[in-house]
Amino acid sequence: QGPRREEWLMGRLAAKDAARDWYRLNAGVELTPADVEIHSDSQGKPWLRCAAVPQIRPPSLSIAHSRRWAYAVASDSSVNLGLDYQRPDHVNTEDLITGGFAPTEHVWLQAANDTDRARIALSLWAAKEAAAKAAGSGLLGRPQDWQVTAAQLDRRSSGPTVARIRHGAYDYDIALHFENSGAVLALCVTAAQHSPSPNPPSTA
């Protein structure tokens, strides 16, 4: 109800638009929003059905929303997608760190000031969410099982802002984009038959 229902609807609309763009660019097909059906599996992972073009395998999808904002991404079905979006409004940084990060991960959260600490915590949380979405399971209420093993979060450097999350035997690499508002967008792309990544990103 209320804002959450609005976010859910905006997320579905964004997913329909992302899927329609994918069909237009990859199949030369122009679709209406009503042509694209968005469903969810038992773990909440979105999937797509398009009866208008049954001969084309539907793209992969991922949806994210936060504080009445929504994003979505679509790509070829050969990849798994995990998209997460976090806005800093009303986030209690210390509660997020206590519940979301194991003591061994706190090395990534050491910062010179509270603003940087809050930004790093939010971005690494978004990375965990994106990795868990790409895996298709979600965090399942156990965020500390998804361990930060590497991160490069300094926006002043010439390199990309990235993080690596490990869950069990698998590593997930996540690209991070920071908005001027303090919000962060995290994207994880893995092969549909996922295997551990061999080369770690730069660390900081």
Side-chain angles (χ1 to χ4, degrees):
Q1 300 297 318
R4 290 294 294 173
R5 182 172 186 267
E6 187 175 291
E7 285 181 8
W8 186 91
L9 289 168
M10 288 193 300
R12 283 342 190 239
L13 288 172
K16 283 173 178 273
D17 282 348
R20 291 168 62 213
D21 282 346
W22 184 90
Y23 277 105
R24 178 176 52 81
L25 293 170
N26 291 276
V29 178
E30 294 287 347
L31 300 172
T32 69
D35 291 324
V36 179
E37 299 177 29
I38 310 295
H39 302 273
S40 299
D41 66 16
S42 60
Q43 301 292 338
K45 184 177 178 65
W47 59 275
L48 187 149
R49 175 185 290 140
C50 185
V53 280
Q55 71 279 16
I56 299 173
R57 189 179 178 92
S60 295
L61 286 176
S62 190
I63 303 170
H65 38 68
S66 177
R67 309 293 177 185
R68 308 182 86 171
W69 291 70
Y71 280 87
V73 62
S75 188
D76 190 80
S77 60
S78 64
V79 300
N80 293 324
L81 299 172
L83 184 70
D84 194 62
Y85 181 63
Q86 298 288 337
R87 295 183 65 79
D89 321 32
H90 311 297
V91 173
N92 185 307
T93 300
E94 296 311 313
D95 285 349
L96 179 62
I97 291 172
T98 300
F101 298 91
T104 54
E105 298 176 281
H106 286 198
V107 62
W108 306 107
L109 299 162
Q110 295 170 355
N113 58 61
D114 289 344
T115 300
D116 283 347
R117 182 174 168 86
R119 179 182 66 85
I120 291 168
L122 194 68
S123 61
L124 294 180
W125 176 260
K128 289 189 180 210
E129 290 272 19
K133 287 182 179 181
S137 63
L139 294 172
L140 296 175
R142 298 180 61 89
Q144 295 186 19
D145 290 349
W146 300 77
Q147 294 273 315
V148 180
T149 60
Q152 167 55 44
L153 303 174
D154 188 351
R155 291 179 290 174
R156 296 167 297 182
S157 73
S158 58
T161 45
V162 294
R164 170 163 289 179
I165 305 296
R166 176 166 294 168
H167 183 253
Y170 296 108
D171 288 336
Y172 299 85
D173 290 333
I174 297 94
L176 297 162
H177 170 73
F178 296 94
E179 297 181 348
N180 291 334
S181 65
V184 59
L185 186 70
L187 176 63
C188 181
V189 182
T190 70
Q193 299 298 322
H194 183 66
S195 59
S197 305
N199 301 311
S202 350
T203 59

